[in-house]
Amino acid sequence: MGNLLKYLLLFFLIFSVTDLPAQDIFSFTGNRKKIEIPFQYKNNFILVKIKLNNFIPLTFIFDTGAEYTILAKKSFTDLLGVNYDREFKLIGADLKTTIVAHLAKNIDISLPGVKARSQNILVLDKNYFNFEEYAGVPVDGIIGSDIFRHFIVKIDYRSKKITLIDPGRSKKPRGYESYPINVKAGKPYLTNKIQLRDSVDISADFLIDTGAGLSLLLYTNTHPDFMLPTTTVTGNIGMGLGGFMKGYLGRIKKLHLDPFAFSDIITNFQEFPTATPDAAFVIQRDGIIGNGVLSRFTVMIDYNRSLLYLKPRKKYNRNFSYDRSGIVTIASGQRLNTYEIREIIPNSPADKAGLLPGDQLVKISGLPRLFMDLPSINKKLRGKVGKKIKVVVRRNGVRKVFHFQLKDLI
């Protein structure tokens, strides 16, 4: 499962934080009507550079699926001498772990050409996730919609730019299809049709979530017509804030974004625990549409007018590829340049070959450790069916060599 990272849901949070104090809105520097913010697109996540109090440079996820801005590492606000106002409890990505966060007030957040003064942000009591291990790059937190929902937000995945536009503009952009959305707690929801294993269209509510590296997620118990595909992979479907997401991975027959349609979409399936105290608050959706689908378009979200605009990119309807090895790899070490097998999928080619969790990767099919990074490793492991793979690992200090052939897992 070498490219499991591509389908991680980083910050799926369940909030009961409905009473944060009001704060100033982001404003452009100078007399501008729009501003472009460059981003990095790494492993299906949008990463932007910010500064806290014009002093500390950090990397944050740009997340339309989060209501609030969150700093994952409390040491940075401790360094700034921030006094914390109060404490909040959140539920993590595993839908079980209780996460403690503190409210930090009067924080200045700046991006190139944009500044927000006196912001309220949530600061995690401790680093509840090891995202760097799965991304291979440092990530310090997320920018939530409390910052940018006052603008029209354009995300151009090709040029890697976010454009924040003065909401006074009301013209429909050329070349885009428009879709009505519901904006709840600052997050965009789209009612849309899918087909599971048959040709029957099912209408469901989806969160439009740029903080989700997956393509599609469905909750197995929020919609009476949802069912698992005939072929699935069971176990950890991703790593998120607070723990692993348990569930299934498979493919559904079709996703409609009329006039666009996608077939054989890789889909995460997760059961929502109805016993969770905040369940009634959270079940406002049947699933999530993430960057695996959104990145096939140029995306615009007009929060004020409750409209989503999509403009297809070239080859937008290409196939959805997935790992064919059964290996989940993490990056470790001070420079995140040591690569270790975190998990092996039962009955996968890697499992049958004898590879084990904890094995440290030395070489994969001619790709030496010096040139390894997570994207290159994952690309190797989702190659063509039947491709022969040679993996060299170090196990308990001993160098070992394994051979297997790639095959479809889902």
Side-chain angles (χ1 to χ4, degrees), residues 195-206:
Q195 292 179 13
L196 295 177
R197 294 188 302 190
D198 52 33
S199 298
V200 177
D201 284 340
I202 301 171
S203 182
D205 295 324
F206 293 92

Side-chain angles (χ1 to χ4, degrees), residues 327-341:
I327 295 174
V328 179
T329 309
I330 62 171
S332 59
Q334 189 172 3
R335 296 185 179 180
L336 298 172
N337 60 354
T338 300
Y339 302 99
E340 181 182 310
I341 296 177

Side-chain angles (χ1 to χ4, degrees), residues 14 17 24 31 75 106 113 191 199 408:
I14 302 172
V17 187
D24 293 341
N31 187 22
S75 57
N106 300 317
T191 300
S199 298
D408 283 331

Side-chain angles (χ1 to χ4, degrees), residues 318-367:
R318 64 190 179 277
N319 293 337
F320 289 81
S321 63
Y322 188 67
D323 167 71
R324 293 187 168 108
S325 70
I327 295 174
V328 179
T329 309
I330 62 171
S332 59
Q334 189 172 3
R335 296 185 179 180
L336 298 172
N337 60 354
T338 300
Y339 302 99
E340 181 182 310
I341 296 177
R342 172 65 176 78
E343 186 178 350
I344 295 288
I345 302 304
N347 299 315
S348 66
D351 181 37
K352 292 177 180 179
L355 286 157
L356 296 174
D359 288 346
Q360 188 176 110
L361 295 175
V362 175
K363 186 183 291 186
I364 297 181
S365 290
L367 180 68

Side-chain angles (χ1 to χ4, degrees), residues 335-406:
R335 296 185 179 180
L336 298 172
N337 60 354
T338 300
Y339 302 99
E340 181 182 310
I341 296 177
R342 172 65 176 78
E343 186 178 350
I344 295 288
I345 302 304
N347 299 315
S348 66
D351 181 37
K352 292 177 180 179
L355 286 157
L356 296 174
D359 288 346
Q360 188 176 110
L361 295 175
V362 175
K363 186 183 291 186
I364 297 181
S365 290
L367 180 68
R369 183 178 176 277
L370 182 63
F371 296 99
M372 280 186 185
D373 58 17
L374 287 179
S376 62
I377 293 170
N378 295 336
K379 185 177 180 180
K380 283 280 186 184
L381 298 179
R382 63 173 183 262
K384 292 182 179 180
V385 171
K387 182 177 177 62
K388 295 180 180 179
I389 299 292
K390 175 183 175 182
V391 178
V392 181
V393 303
R394 193 170 302 280
R395 181 185 296 172
N396 298 324
V398 179
R399 184 183 173 100
K400 292 180 174 290
V401 181
F402 299 87
H403 298 267
F404 57 84
Q405 287 182 280
L406 300 179

Side-chain angles (χ1 to χ4, degrees), residues 1 4 7 195-197 214-218 220 227-237 247-254 263-270 320-323 408-410:
M1 199 177 293
L4 176 61
Y7 306 103
Q195 292 179 13
L196 295 177
R197 294 188 302 190
L214 49 78
S215 293
L216 194 69
L217 182 143
L218 300 177
T220 56
M227 66 184 77
L228 291 176
T230 53
T231 303
T232 60
V233 171
T234 306
N236 295 327
I237 61 173
Y248 306 88
L249 276 164
R251 294 180 186 264
I252 68 166
K253 188 172 183 180
K254 192 166 288 187
S263 300
D264 295 324
I265 305 140
I266 295 171
T267 303
N268 298 49
F269 295 85
Q270 184 182 31
F320 289 81
S321 63
Y322 188 67
D323 167 71
D408 283 331
L409 300 179
I410 56 174

Side-chain angles (χ1 to χ4, degrees), residues 23 66-69 119-120 143-150:
Q23 57 189 18
E67 185 176 356
Y68 302 109
T69 294
Q119 296 293 301
N120 306 309
I143 288 183
S145 67
D146 56 336
I147 298 294
F148 53 78
R149 65 179 179 243
H150 309 287

